[in-house]
Amino acid sequence: MRKSHSPAKTPSLPRLAAASLAGTAIEFYDFFIYGTAAALVLGPLFFPTFSPLAGTLAAFATFGVGFVARPLGSVLFGHIGDRRGRRPVLVGSLLLTGIATVAVGCVPTYDSIGIAAPVLLLVLRFLQGLGLGGEWGGAVLLTAEHAPAERRGLWSSFPQMGPSLGFLLANGIMLVLSATLTDAQFAAWGWRVPFWAAGVLAAAGLALRSSLAESPSFLELREHARVPLAEVVHEHWRLVLLTAGALAVGYAVFYAVTTWSLAYAVERLDVSRTVMLACIMAAVVVKGALTPVAALLGDRYGRRPLCLLGCALSALWMFPMIALLATGEPLLMFLGFLVAMLAFITMFAVIAAYLPELYEPRVRCTGAAVGYNLGGVVGGALTPIVATAVASGDGTPWGVAAYLTAVALLSLGCFALLPETRPVPEPAPVTA
């Protein structure tokens, strides 16, 4: 039986896009601030009995737990989104992620409570990932399902700018703290400040999202999936696996640049963390600014061609990027990061329109979110760990370049097997 829904006033697209962008920026701020802290301080503070290399690996392992939790979050919140609506997902996911992030900033170190410290860190990182697993699907679908078909790529790209803003905000705060505090002050309490700030940001995001209207596609459904995950697994399992494999390269490239390279350059090349944060942030600024441009190209030429181009560029650029990183020269490292980020956004600017178009509305929140977040497990969770392990020897870490190139080729193959989804404009009526 169809559930009744009270009519809701359709919001203006700019207001809806702004609210989605702000929410994703806040939630990805929460997620990214952990990655930066893992690269800079969590190893010695929470795993002091390990060697420096092992401590970094352990910190990145807790970082990876967030990615493992994201598909579970997409299942949980996807069920809510497909059964109850997209709007409740936005509120619940933001609240969960915000609380978990503030709590990370309050966890005592290993010296204070022993083994309980890394255990608490692990649990809270899992909760962060659980919340973020629901965030992307809710924010993207609410925007994509309100947008006109011919400009769906453009309007859906606004939530995709959220990760860039969240990253810049997280690392901007870390950069200021790193530049103004001594190493002792930063290790003692400075690294906690960005986690505490997440509480204020989450409250602001909840206020922005409290009055959003429900998605028209959801309201028009005559029948909702009883168990969305079961339907996705039974009828769309091949599509989920292909989308996960296709998106893996985006995660791998992004976290190789923003997380692994930060730890590698600071620990192995003796580049200051301030310089590294500045180089990475500059590349992310350009990426964020060009997101709507790439999305417009997706509306004009199609989603799949841009995704194939981004994968090909990534495969061709990984060895040059590692060579530029190994120089330790800021301008050369920035160039390496910049081209990698441009290849990344060529794909990910159109993903927010592409994935919802691949799945039917009744299971769209679950299917799109599960595929998106499984890609994060393959590309995001493993990359810092694998890269740190294969770069443990002396010399230029070509093994990292080989790994990233292999992931890019995997994703290229998966995108090649996916169909194009861009709506074809109807021909203009012929007048006599």
Side-chain angles (χ1 to χ4, degrees):
M1 181 177 178
R2 186 180 179 180
K3 296 180 182 180
S4 61
H5 296 274
S6 59
K9 183 181 178 181
T10 301
S12 68
L13 276 171
R15 179 175 174 272
L16 180 63
S20 295
L21 186 154
T24 53
I26 292 165
E27 290 217 46
F28 275 93
Y29 164 89
D30 295 349
F31 202 73
F32 289 147
I33 202 67
Y34 190 100
T36 305
L40 296 177
V41 296
L42 295 187
L45 291 178
F46 289 87
F47 305 95
T49 60
F50 291 13
S51 68
L53 175 62
T56 301
L57 282 169
F60 280 150
T62 62
F63 174 72
V65 165
F67 285 98
V68 174
R70 282 173 64 169
L72 300 177
S74 65
V75 170
L76 171 63
F77 286 103
H79 183 90
I80 296 171
D82 285 325
R83 293 282 297 167
R84 304 295 179 186
R86 321 312 192 198
R87 188 173 170 271
V89 173
L90 298 182
V91 176
S93 62
L94 182 58
L95 190 62
L96 176 59
T97 309
I99 292 173
T101 305
V102 172
V104 170
C106 301
V107 175
T109 62
Y110 185 94
D111 288 343
S112 299
I113 60 173
I115 193 64
V119 170
L120 284 173
L121 208 60
L122 198 69
V123 171
L124 293 172
R125 180 59 176 173
F126 181 87
L127 294 177
Q128 267 192 326
L130 205 66
L132 191 62
E135 163 62 26
W136 186 87
V140 162
L141 290 190
L142 202 61
T143 307
E145 291 178 342
H146 274 99
E150 68 276 8
R151 283 290 178 263
R152 187 175 294 132
L154 173 63
W155 288 110
S156 300
S157 72
F158 282 85
Q160 289 298 82
M161 288 189 280
S164 296
L165 292 177
F167 178 84
L168 292 172
L169 183 59
N171 286 273
I173 293 176
M174 279 291 195
L175 182 60
V176 171
L177 292 169
S178 178
T180 56
L181 300 178
T182 65
D183 288 346
Q185 290 172 326
F186 186 79
W189 57 268
W191 68 272
R192 298 181 183 273
V193 173
F195 290 92
W196 296 335
V200 178
L201 295 174
L206 289 171
L208 278 172
R209 290 181 163 184
S210 60
S211 60
L212 291 180
E214 185 52 79
S215 158
S217 293
F218 177 81
L219 295 178
E220 291 168 4
L221 285 176
R222 295 187 175 276
E223 184 181 354
H224 302 294
R226 290 176 177 270
V227 185
L229 179 62
E231 190 168 325
V232 167
V233 171
H234 184 258
E235 299 182 15
H236 305 286
W237 62 269
R238 181 176 179 272
L239 180 58
V240 170
L241 293 179
L242 283 177
T243 52
L247 298 180
V249 64
Y251 285 101
V253 169
F254 188 85
Y255 287 101
V257 170
T258 61
T259 302
W260 169 76
S261 67
L262 177 61
Y264 177 81
V266 171
E267 295 173 6
R268 302 287 298 280
L269 303 179
D270 292 325
V271 180
S272 77
R273 61 173 176 254
T274 302
V275 169
M276 280 304 297
L277 286 171
C279 289
I280 295 168
M281 288 173 63
V284 173
V285 166
V286 179
K287 174 187 83 75
L290 292 179
T291 299
V293 177
L296 277 172
L297 292 175
D299 281 331
R300 177 72 181 274
Y301 300 107
R303 326 300 189 202
R304 185 169 170 269
L306 265 71
C307 292
L308 292 171
L309 176 61
C311 285
L313 290 173
S314 297
L316 293 171
W317 187 247
M318 292 303 97
F319 277 91
M321 184 190 78
I322 294 300
L324 293 171
L325 170 65
T327 66
E329 294 293 330
L331 287 178
L332 294 178
M333 291 190 297
F334 165 71
L335 175 61
F337 299 154
L338 176 62
V339 177
M341 288 291 98
L342 293 179
F344 165 85
I345 205 55
T346 301
M347 295 174 281
F348 269 54
V350 300
I351 287 301
Y354 195 18
L355 260 63
E357 290 169 348
L358 286 168
Y359 292 88
E360 58 182 294
R362 57 186 276 117
V363 294
R364 183 174 285 160
C365 196
T366 300
V370 169
Y372 185 85
N373 288 296
L374 279 177
V377 176
V378 177
L382 294 178
T383 294
I385 299 171
V386 172
T388 300
V390 301
S392 58
D394 296 329
T396 304
W398 297 121
V400 177
Y403 169 76
L404 294 174
T405 302
V407 176
L409 293 175
L410 167 68
S411 294
L412 183 67
C414 291
F415 273 123
L417 295 173
L418 289 172
E420 177 56 68
T421 61
R422 179 175 64 98
V424 178
E426 297 182 4
V430 179
T431 57

